[in-house]
């Protein structure tokens, strides 16, 4: 195969320890729930994954079992398991609005 920066043909396997390390590095002062794009991009390069993978870990959308011990009590309380979300929420068509 040819070597290049195209990730479409690559499968990067993260493990629980790596996902927890990524979660620990989320910016505390990012200002939005999506975190700092620059920080996500830098970590993505370091771990050879996409910035979206980093943000999904930070936003508790992936690697939940690996990162849950690191969550604050408020994050644990606010988490809605994917299986309990509506089809539209799972597809990203609806955004949950905090009351």
């Amino acid at each position: 195969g040819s070597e290049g920066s195209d990730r479409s043909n690559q499968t990067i396997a993260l493990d629980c320890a790596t996902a927890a390390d990524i979660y620990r590095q989320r910016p505390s002062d990012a200002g939005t729930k999506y975190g700092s794009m620059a920080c996500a991009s830098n970590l993505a390069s370091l771990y050879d994954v996409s910035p979206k993978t980093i943000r999904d870990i930070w936003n508790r959308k992936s690697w939940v079992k690996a990162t849950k011990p690191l969550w604050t009590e408020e994050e644990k309380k606010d988490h809605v398991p994917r299986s309990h979300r509506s089809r539209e929420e799972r597809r990203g068509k609806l955004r949950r609005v905090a009351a």
Side-chain angles (χ1 to χ4, degrees), residues 8-19:
S8 62
N9 294 328
Q10 298 177 1
T11 301
I12 305 299
L14 294 178
D15 58 29
C16 290
T18 303

Side-chain angles (χ1 to χ4, degrees), residues 21-33:
D21 286 342
I22 290 168
Y23 189 80
R24 284 186 194 97
Q25 295 179 66
R26 67 191 172 132
S28 60
D29 61 348
T32 71
K33 72 176 186 172

